[in-house]
């Protein structure tokens, strides 16, 4: 029997609040499936499980705050994977949508797993713009099943609307509801039929119910004190959330400044080649495939980390351990204040178009509070990019246990000498904050030189 | 496309990329990027949404003109077929 425990979702996390279960006892689970929603001081994270098998027992009620490492559920591991997941049949939908909360498995433990009722995770490789995606979400249309009529097979909003209209039984859309959301709806007096689900396959989740609850302001999760068992440890209202976020950042950054002897380097990079290449690329690409300068900067940062591995990894117990790949944390500022740093895994190997797509998705979900556990922990180096409205340079604080933080300021036009002549060129200030315990300035310089060199050949990024 | 339609599209495109934005409160001639703290990714998503809704191709060179609700609506009206 394997335990599913409260994961550590970053160096700054000591405890987390189990907000919602996404599975029920008896459900088959696969390694990598999101099974629970955990709220930390900084964000709300969908947590994946590390085992494949049957979820046999949920040990912790939603609303409970427990320390990292506390067992949350038991999974009976299976030798071989449960049957491949398929789209659930009508009957299974009805069964799954039946009233009632967390139930015991239908058969005795060890009985053959029931045919999977989990939603197949939609592979996110369908080309569709934000409008089409939003329309698909609100109408419960699976983007992967559509043939796009837009340029390059791109799914447009019209495609989604046609699909929604053509679907049999449109009048009574199937509703999928997570158990916690169902209970919350009952307690708050929310009619589920009026709620738009934002979960996988438009499943209605607790946060959707809270948003639909009478008197709750749109898009701001209302406090749920009293709505869940153990109300004293229920997730905090959004006002406290900002405070909690500040405290988490304060604790981590204070620790970083106390423990890490930082050294700082800076270099100015000519961005003429990169911006010219970008302009030409964007001119010939449909709007959905356009790139921003940040894509080039992140890719150059990742490739340089591969080239200078001493900066890519972790300082723990008085020694450096190299990362097992370049997992680039990207600092994302949240609109309500605060920061999260979701991760571009193996960013050095991602083609620019893919990197851009993953980045858009991560940033959107980071701001909507919908990241997964694997997307927030384990970065081997972090980049902070101020974008086109920020300052010219940034010297960041390293995110422990990492040993380096790369900063990019705004791309600005400046006088610049080329071949003995002064001209106006777009330039960017690239900076490095690095841990002097792990490396010296020579290594750091090597890194920034690599970044500057790579950005002169954007076509090879 | 008349200007009222264009304005509605601009507003809808903004709401689709900045959830919770009080689009109704935006001044017609206010710089919405600043008001809503939209970064370059948000803005790219806005351009993508607007282009998709209106069928108007919006090149990178055009985007500096999309600063206010009015200017964006004017751009759509001028470039719609």
């Amino acid at each position: 029997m394997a335990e599913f425990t409260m994961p550590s979702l970053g160096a700054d996390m000591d405890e987390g609040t189990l907000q919602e279960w996404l599975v029920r006892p008896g459900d088959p689970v696969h390694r990598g499936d999101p099974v629970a929603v955990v709220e930390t001081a900084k964000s709300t994270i969908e947590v994946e499980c590390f085992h494949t098998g049957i979820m046999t027992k949920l040990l912790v009620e939603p609303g409970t705050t427990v320390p990292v490492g506390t067992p949350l559920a038991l999974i009976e591991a299976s030798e071989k994977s449960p049957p491949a997941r398929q789209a659930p049949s009508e009957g299974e939908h009805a069964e799954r949508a039946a009233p009632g909360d967390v139930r015991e498995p239908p058969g005795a433990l060890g009985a053959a797993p029931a045919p999977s009722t989990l939603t197949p995770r939609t592979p996110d490789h369908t080309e569709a713009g934000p409008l089409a995606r939003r329309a698909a979400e609100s109408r419960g249309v699976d983007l992967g099943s559509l043939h796009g009529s837009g340029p390059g097979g791109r799914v447009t909003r019209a495609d989604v609307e046609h699909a929604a209209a053509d679907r049999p039984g449109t009048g009574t859309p199937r509703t999928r509801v997570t158990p916690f959301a169902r209970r919350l709806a009952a307690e708050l007096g929310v009619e589920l039929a009026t709620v738009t689900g934002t979960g996988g396959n438009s499943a209605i989740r607790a946060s959707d119910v809270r948003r639909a609850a009478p008197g709750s302001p749109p898009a701001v999760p209302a406090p749920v004190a009293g709505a869940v068992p153990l109300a004293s440890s229920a997730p905090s209202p959004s006002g406290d959330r900002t405070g909690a976020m500040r405290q988490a950042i304060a604790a981590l950054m204070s620790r970083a400044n106390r423990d890490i002897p930082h050294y700082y380097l800076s270099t100015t990079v000519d961005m003429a080649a990169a911006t010219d290449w970008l302009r030409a690329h964007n001119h010939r690409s449909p709007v959905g495939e356009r790139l921003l300068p940040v894509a080039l900067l992140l890719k150059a940062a990742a490739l340089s980390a591969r080239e200078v591995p001493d900066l890519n990894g972790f300082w723990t117990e008085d020694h450096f351990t190299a990362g097992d790949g370049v997992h680039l944390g990207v600092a994302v500022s949240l609109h309500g204040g605060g920061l999260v740093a979701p991760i571009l895994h193996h960013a050095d190997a991602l083609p620019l178009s893919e990197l851009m797509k993953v980045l858009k998705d991560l940033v959107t979900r980071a701001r909507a509070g919908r990241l997964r556990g694997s997307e927030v922990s384990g970065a081997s180096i972090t980049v902070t990019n101020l974008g086109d409205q920020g300052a010219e340079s940034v010297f960041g604080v390293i995110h422990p246990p990492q040993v380096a933080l790369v900063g990019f300021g705004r791309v600005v036009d400046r006088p610049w000498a080329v071949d003995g002549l002064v001209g106006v060129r777009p330039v960017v200030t690239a900076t490095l904050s690095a841990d002097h315990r792990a490396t010296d300035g020579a290594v750091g310089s090597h890194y920034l030189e690599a970044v500057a060199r790579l950005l002169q050949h954007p076509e090879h990024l | 496309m008349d200007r009222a339609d264009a304005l509605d599209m601009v507003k809808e495109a903004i709401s689709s990329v900045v959830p919770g934005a009080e689009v109704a409160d935006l001044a017609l001639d206010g710089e919405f990027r600043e008001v809503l703290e939209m970064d370059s990714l948000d803005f790219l998503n806005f351009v993508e949404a607007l282009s998709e809704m209106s069928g108007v191709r919006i090149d990178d060179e055009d985007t500096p003109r999309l600063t206010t609700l009015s200017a964006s609506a004017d751009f759509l009206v001028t470039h719609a077929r």
Side-chain angles (χ1 to χ4, degrees), chain A residues 361-424:
Chain A
D361 175 53
L362 279 178
V363 171
T364 304
R365 285 189 296 112
R367 288 180 173 153
R370 278 295 166 210
L371 290 169
R372 297 222 168 110
S374 60
E375 293 167 339
V376 292
S377 56
S380 56
I381 184 168
T382 295
V383 175
T384 182
N385 171 62
L386 298 183
D388 64 350
Q389 306 212 310
E392 275 186 48
S393 57
V394 50
F395 294 89
V397 179
I398 298 168
H399 193 122
Q402 296 162 41
V403 298
L405 183 129
V406 185
F408 293 107
R410 181 160 51 104
V411 178
V412 289
D413 286 339
R414 288 286 176 267
W416 190 255
V418 184
D419 299 331
L421 290 174
V422 174
V424 173

Side-chain angles (χ1 to χ4, degrees), chain A residues 127 146-150 152-156 159:
Chain A
E127 289 289 340
L146 298 185
H147 294 284
S149 66
R154 208 173 145 73
V155 174
T156 67
D159 295 333

Side-chain angles (χ1 to χ4, degrees), chain A residues 145-461:
Chain A
S145 67
L146 298 185
H147 294 284
S149 66
R154 208 173 145 73
V155 174
T156 67
R157 190 169 60 152
D159 295 333
V160 174
E161 275 162 5
H162 285 143
D166 291 349
R167 196 171 44 187
T170 314
T172 50
R174 305 162 177 181
T175 311
R176 297 172 58 82
V177 189
T178 67
F180 182 42
R182 186 173 294 284
R183 182 163 38 178
L184 197 60
E187 274 165 312
L188 297 176
V190 170
E191 180 60 53
L192 282 171
T194 65
V195 180
T196 305
T198 61
N201 260 24
S202 298
I204 294 176
R205 303 187 142 164
S207 53
D208 302 322
V209 172
R210 284 190 204 113
R211 215 173 294 131
S216 62
V220 178
V224 293
V228 291
L230 301 168
S232 61
S233 57
S236 15
S238 54
D240 291 1
R241 181 64 177 276
T242 310
M245 160 85 78
R246 287 261 56 95
Q247 277 175 22
I249 294 174
L252 187 69
M253 295 295 101
S254 301
R255 188 180 127 200
N257 263 344
R258 185 183 68 229
D259 293 348
I260 303 176
H262 286 64
Y263 68 86
Y264 304 97
L265 301 173
S266 160
T267 199
T268 306
V269 181
D270 181 354
M271 288 290 282
T275 40
D276 285 350
W277 181 87
L278 208 59
R279 189 175 302 124
H281 169 91
N282 287 350
H283 194 72
R284 62 175 181 265
S285 307
V287 62
E289 285 162 32
R290 285 187 201 161
L291 299 173
L292 292 170
V294 62
L296 303 182
L297 298 174
L298 292 179
K299 185 69 186 288
L303 288 171
S304 302
R306 183 163 75 188
E307 210 174 303
V308 186
D310 289 351
L311 292 173
N312 184 61
F314 315 98
W315 185 267
T316 42
E317 292 167 2
D318 292 331
H319 71 280
F320 174 74
T321 311
D324 64 349
V326 178
H327 306 301
L328 203 67
V330 181
V332 174
S333 65
L334 304 178
H335 287 311
L339 280 175
V340 288
I343 298 166
L344 292 162
H345 287 284
H346 298 289
D348 56 328
L350 291 178
L352 284 175
S353 56
E354 188 62 24
L355 188 151
M356 185 73 200
K357 197 188 290 182
V358 177
L359 179 71
K360 273 181 175 174
D361 175 53
L362 279 178
V363 171
T364 304
R365 285 189 296 112
R367 288 180 173 153
R370 278 295 166 210
L371 290 169
R372 297 222 168 110
S374 60
E375 293 167 339
V376 292
S377 56
S380 56
I381 184 168
T382 295
V383 175
T384 182
N385 171 62
L386 298 183
D388 64 350
Q389 306 212 310
E392 275 186 48
S393 57
V394 50
F395 294 89
V397 179
I398 298 168
H399 193 122
Q402 296 162 41
V403 298
L405 183 129
V406 185
F408 293 107
R410 181 160 51 104
V411 178
V412 289
D413 286 339
R414 288 286 176 267
W416 190 255
V418 184
D419 299 331
L421 290 174
V422 174
V424 173
R425 313 272 273 206
V427 299
V428 72
T429 305
T431 64
L432 178 76
S433 308
D435 186 338
H436 226 320
R437 296 172 301 182
T439 62
D440 302 318
V443 172
S445 291
H446 184 184
Y447 179 87
L448 286 182
E449 280 164 25
V451 170
R453 172 169 39 79
L454 290 164
L455 285 168
Q456 302 319 305
H457 302 284
E459 69 281 6
H460 296 147
L461 284 174

Side-chain angles (χ1 to χ4, degrees), chain A residues 131 154 282-283 290 367, chain B residues 39 48 53 57-58 60:
Chain A
L131 268 175
R154 208 173 145 73
N282 287 350
H283 194 72
R290 285 187 201 161
R367 288 180 173 153
Chain B
D39 65 14
E48 188 177 347
M53 285 165 75
R57 182 181 165 99
I58 306 174
D60 265 5

